[in-house]
Amino acid sequence: VQLQASGGGLVQAGGSLRLSCAASGRTFSSVDMAWFRQAPGKEREFIAAIRRSGGGTYYRDSVKGRFTIFTDAAKNTLYLQMNSLKPEDTAVYYCATKTGGRIITSEIRENRAYDYWGRGTQVTVSS
């Protein structure tokens, strides 16, 4: 599976961006998908995840109510709609997927649970 993230950019605080992650290759094997982010000098952190079967979603507390994760199955694309952006949302955003079996719920926020990663896309929020 190959993942290509796009949609990042520079936006003022309070603004919105929509990130996209196009999947190609053995996409039928992709079970769970997620977004992570990494700010300079910090560890990569979980943002949101979605179950491709059933559509269950999971969010980091700090983005609940502001970010929405969703997929377009026909386009094999994962999205992250980000509203009410804050300067602390500034980071490189990565999409990831787990192929084969589902991730157990207790591990869905863990980097190690995902086996394919896209290159990041930079999001910068100015104050």
Side-chain angles (χ1 to χ4, degrees), residues 39-107:
K42 295 187 177 181
E43 293 186 352
R44 188 172 299 186
E45 64 184 18
F46 169 82
I47 298 303
I50 187 167
R51 305 279 194 190
R52 295 194 71 184
S53 175
T57 56
Y58 307 82
Y59 292 93
R60 183 179 192 81
D61 286 347
S62 63
V63 307
K64 284 180 181 177
R66 299 190 299 123
F67 292 9
T68 303
I69 188 171
F70 61 100
T71 61
D72 183 330
K75 296 181 179 179
N76 285 319
T77 301
L78 172 72
Y79 298 94
L80 184 68
Q81 177 66 42
M82 305 186 295
N83 299 328
S84 302
L85 282 161
K86 304 176 180 180
E88 52 263 43
D89 294 318
T90 295
V92 177
Y93 283 69
Y94 299 88
C95 55
T97 191
K98 170 69 170 64
T99 59
R102 284 164 57 100
I103 302 171
I104 61 174
T105 301
S106 61
E107 295 183 357

